[in-house]
Amino acid sequence: MKIHEVKEKCYLETLEESITNVEMVINHLEKLALREGEFASHILRKDRIISILHLELALASYCVLLRKMRENQMIIYNDKLRADINSIIHSNRFEYFGSYIIVHSQKGKEEVDLHSLLRYGKSILKENEG
C-alpha cells in the first residue's frame, strides 16, 4: 500500500469519527430540549452550555480536518463551504440554534448551515466506501 493511500485511509477514518462526535453532541442537545420542564432550569442550562462548548470544539476539529484534506488535495469544496469552515475555525463566539449556528469572529457575525456542513462530510465518506 502506498503512503498516499495509507494517509487517505487515516483521514477518512478520522472524518467518520469526527462526524459521529458532532452528531452525538447534537443528539444530546436535542434530548436536553425535550427535557425542559422535567428538571430545574439551572441544571439544564448548565448542561446546555457545556454541550454547546463541546459542539463548538467538535465542529472546529471537523473543519480543521476538512481543511487539511483539501490542502492534501483529497477533496474540493465550494466557496460557501470554505467560508463556513473558516468561520468555525476562526470564531471567538459560537451560538447554537438547531439547524444553524451563528459564529462571531473578526469578520463579524456569520450564519453557518450545520446540516449542510455535515452532509458534505458524509458525501465524502459515501464516495470512498469500499
Side-chain angles (χ1 to χ4, degrees):
M1 189 178 250
K2 296 179 182 177
I3 294 292
H4 179 73
E5 291 170 353
V6 172
K7 187 175 188 177
E8 188 172 20
K9 185 177 188 291
C10 181
Y11 276 62
L12 290 170
E13 288 171 355
T14 305
L15 178 63
E16 185 172 17
E17 292 168 7
S18 184
I19 291 169
T20 300
N21 189 29
V22 170
E23 288 177 331
M24 285 177 19
V25 177
I26 292 169
N27 287 339
H28 183 71
L29 284 162
E30 289 171 353
K31 287 178 184 174
L32 284 176
L34 294 173
R35 300 193 98 177
E36 281 187 32
E38 290 182 32
F39 298 100
S41 62
H42 71 280
I43 294 171
L44 289 176
R45 185 174 185 277
K46 181 180 177 186
D47 198 5
R48 179 173 163 73
I49 290 168
I50 291 168
S51 297
I52 289 172
L53 291 170
H54 285 163
L55 179 60
E56 180 179 10
L57 294 171
L59 280 171
S61 296
Y62 170 66
C63 288
V64 167
L65 178 60
L66 289 175
R67 183 192 277 175
K68 191 76 176 158
M69 291 176 78
R70 182 173 185 239
E71 289 169 358
N72 281 279
Q73 300 176 0
M74 293 176 191
I75 61 173
I76 297 171
Y77 45 76
N78 63 34
D79 288 340
K80 169 66 174 129
L81 205 53
R82 183 189 56 75
D84 286 350
I85 289 167
N86 288 338
S87 294
I88 289 171
I89 291 171
H90 296 291
S91 70
N92 58 20
R93 195 168 125 217
F94 182 95
E95 299 174 70
Y96 171 74
F97 297 100
S99 63
Y100 70 96
I101 54 177
I102 301 289
V103 293
H104 301 262
S105 65
Q106 290 180 339
K107 290 172 115 178
K109 182 176 167 179
E110 301 173 72
E111 184 176 321
V112 174
D113 181 349
L114 181 56
H115 295 299
S116 177
L117 192 58
L118 288 174
R119 267 194 313 272
Y120 178 69
K122 289 177 183 180
S123 73
I124 294 167
L125 294 175
K126 188 168 183 147
E127 288 173 12
N128 289 283
E129 285 179 339

